[in-house]
DNA sequence: GACTTTTAAATGTCAGACAAATAAATTTTT
DNA sequence: AAAAATTTATTTGTCTGACATTTAAAAGTC
């Protein structure tokens, strides 16, 4: 691991990259302890604060974890699906909120991906997944539910659908697509009528999954996508020329 | 923005989280300048190195960028699709390499997602996308191509397929799935015979996309998935009881 | 007015120190 | 001898203060 002191970028960024490369390439393996901050400072010929800045960069990506004390230090972290999930959700959410991505574009991507899970989910969903979906449908039918709570339940429903495919990689990839839509969905006001329709489609999906009927799940997802986009479109219309 | 000095976690982590929350919630908007490090140190009642560690954490996630000089400082960064891509690829790659994800699982996820793009790509692909795909197919047919180069070209081919859907959100989500497979694919030795078969299927995909025939694209992708999994399976077999 | 120089403000880096946590080694007590 | 308490060494976490470097604006000069 070497750094180029001539380079224009920050030393801490260079050091972080050097260590990151070592991890990605397998030179440093999971749970391996890195040299102490003092030793790293020596190796890279920089001060300890600079090394620490580099380590914090890596910690922010969950690539390392640190422990204090006699046997402490920085250790290569096994990136858990959980950590990967939350990073993906943060990144996806920010990406959508900062780049004027149209609702249609995001919605299209989300449903395209979700439909990719549907056949697998129809094949493999457990009773547990089904129970989660039914429970969320029940919650969505409660009167007096806020729009935010309705959206959150919607996300939980769709996550159960995705998780039903029993493929952790797929669940991970979808987490961003589904959760990042929530802020966009929150702009929609769900009337009693529209909630009813959504619940109807959710039920249709749950029923079809129970029957392991992939085609009907797909059809219901298409319907749901169309309906959601219509709702968003109406909101946009009403905002353009209000009452 | 407040932090709790009682909390057990690092001060720099708490400060980073406080600022991150402010960005995600929209309290801090794109291109807005954060207070200087000295001012932040004052506000949070910590020292400047601690503030700097927090800022480096945020920089590692591309949430802020820093500039030196008189009008410099830390600015809220507009998360570009490019930045989001690379983060996703790094995370996905590490996730797969560190968690003993089976080739089958990763492969299934990848092709499920890719097939989700196929209909859109058949509808919208430009001549440019097609040209890229043809060029990569041509490259793949070159004799003397290393396995790594063949894999890289394979990735480029599939990226063109995904990009053909003309949905940046979809491209972003797929980037991880497609690129993260590359290290796994690199474990396969591509014989002349297997390359021939892959090229045949790639050509079939390109032809179908040219004809805007979504169904054939889908069928070819299924074939390709099956074939790829068979190849990986054979490698695993051969490794278990060698020659 | 155009060019050069100065200045001020900000980040980048360094050195050295102390605090706090933690496990191992040592000592004391039972 | 075993158990408990204490000490010690190591490492990260944090602070202070300083200087270097970069950069744009302000001041000065022709």
């Amino acid at each position: 691991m070497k750094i180029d002191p001539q380079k224009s970028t920050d030393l801490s960024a260079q050091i972080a990259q050097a260590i990151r490369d070592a991890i990605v390439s397998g030179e440093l393996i999971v749970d391996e302890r890195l040299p102490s901050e003092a030793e790293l400072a020596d190796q890279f010929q920089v001060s300890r604060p600079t090394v620490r800045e580099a380590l914090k960069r890596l910690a922010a990506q969950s690539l390392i974890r640190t422990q204090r004390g006699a046997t402490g230090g920085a250790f290569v972290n096994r990136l858990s699906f959980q950590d990967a999930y939350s990073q993906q959700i943060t990144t996806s959410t920010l990406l959508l909120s900062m780049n004027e991505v149209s609702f249609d574009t995001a919605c299209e991507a989300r449903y395209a991906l979700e439909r990719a899970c549907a056949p697998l989910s129809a094949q493999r969903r457990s009773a547990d997944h089904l129970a989660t979906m039914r429970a969320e449908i029940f919650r969505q039918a409660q009167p007096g539910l806020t729009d935010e709570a309705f959206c959150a339940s919607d996300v939980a429903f769709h996550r159960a659908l995705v998780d039903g495919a029993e493929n952790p990689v797929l669940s991970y990839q979808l987490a961003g697509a589904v959760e990042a839509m929530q802020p966009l969905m929150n702009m929609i006001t769900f009337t009693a009528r529209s909630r009813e329709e959504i619940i109807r489609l959710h039920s249709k999906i749950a029923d079809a999954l129970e029957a392991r009927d992939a085609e009907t799940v797909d059809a219901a997802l298409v319907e749901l996508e169309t309906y959601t986009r219509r709702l968003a479109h109406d909101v946009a219309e009403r905002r353009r020329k209000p009452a």
Side-chain angles (χ1 to χ4, degrees), chain A:
Chain A
M1 286 194 295
K2 285 281 151 56
I3 58 171
D4 177 7
Q6 312 306 329
K7 207 117 174 266
S8 62
T9 58
D10 298 5
L11 289 175
S12 69
Q14 290 180 56
I15 293 169
Q17 191 59 52
I19 298 176
R20 187 166 21 242
D21 287 346
I23 294 175
V24 173
S25 74
E27 192 180 326
L28 290 169
I29 61 172
V30 167
D31 292 335
E32 185 170 341
R33 183 180 173 284
L34 274 69
S36 73
E37 293 174 354
E39 286 172 311
L40 286 172
D42 249 26
Q43 277 185 32
F44 287 113
Q45 290 282 300
V46 298
S47 67
R48 194 157 82 92
T50 302
V51 167
R52 282 182 61 79
E53 288 178 8
L55 294 180
K56 294 313 164 201
R57 294 178 116 109
L58 299 174
Q61 297 179 304
S62 307
L63 291 183
I64 62 169
R65 61 177 187 279
T66 54
Q67 246 180 347
R68 295 172 75 165
T71 58
F75 298 83
V76 177
N77 197 31
R78 176 184 303 279
L79 187 63
S80 69
F81 276 90
Q82 195 52 56
D83 287 339
Y85 277 163
S86 25
Q87 279 187 229
Q88 241 244 298
I89 291 168
T90 307
T91 305
S92 301
T93 305
L94 278 165
L95 189 65
L96 291 193
S97 74
M98 284 181 171
N99 285 282
E100 302 179 7
V101 174
S102 76
F103 187 89
D104 273 355
T105 303
C107 204
E108 174 177 280
R110 176 195 158 159
Y111 278 98
L113 297 176
E114 211 167 315
R115 285 170 60 198
C117 298
L120 294 169
S121 199
Q123 205 178 303
R124 301 185 192 151
R125 98 287 178 289
S126 70
D128 238 35
H129 297 126
L130 220 53
T132 302
M133 296 170 81
R134 299 283 188 202
E136 295 300 338
I137 293 175
F138 181 78
R139 191 202 310 277
Q140 288 157 21
Q142 298 305 305
L145 203 68
T146 65
D147 279 351
E148 281 74 19
F150 185 79
C151 277
S153 172
D154 183 74
V155 167
F157 174 88
H158 286 279
R159 285 203 58 150
L161 164 61
V162 170
D163 289 343
E166 293 282 13
N167 184 320
V169 178
L170 212 44
S171 293
Y172 151 69
Q173 297 283 0
L174 265 284
V178 174
E179 303 245 0
M181 281 292 291
Q182 198 165 2
L184 296 179
M185 297 287 285
N186 275 332
M187 302 191 322
I188 301 177
T189 319
F190 292 99
T191 62
R193 243 184 94 62
S194 59
R195 288 192 190 188
E196 205 178 299
E197 174 67 4
I198 290 171
I199 290 169
R200 184 184 73 78
L201 290 169
H202 282 176
S203 298
K204 186 172 173 184
I205 291 170
D207 290 347
L209 279 175
E210 185 156 17
R212 305 201 180 278
D213 174 0
E215 271 185 45
T216 306
V217 175
D218 191 74
L221 281 172
V222 172
E223 269 191 87
L224 192 52
E225 178 181 354
T226 309
Y227 188 70
T228 306
R229 285 165 83 160
R230 154 82 59 72
L231 280 180
H233 193 258
D234 289 349
V235 169
E237 274 294 299
R238 228 172 299 130
R239 203 159 290 167
R240 200 167 329 135
K241 54 173 176 188

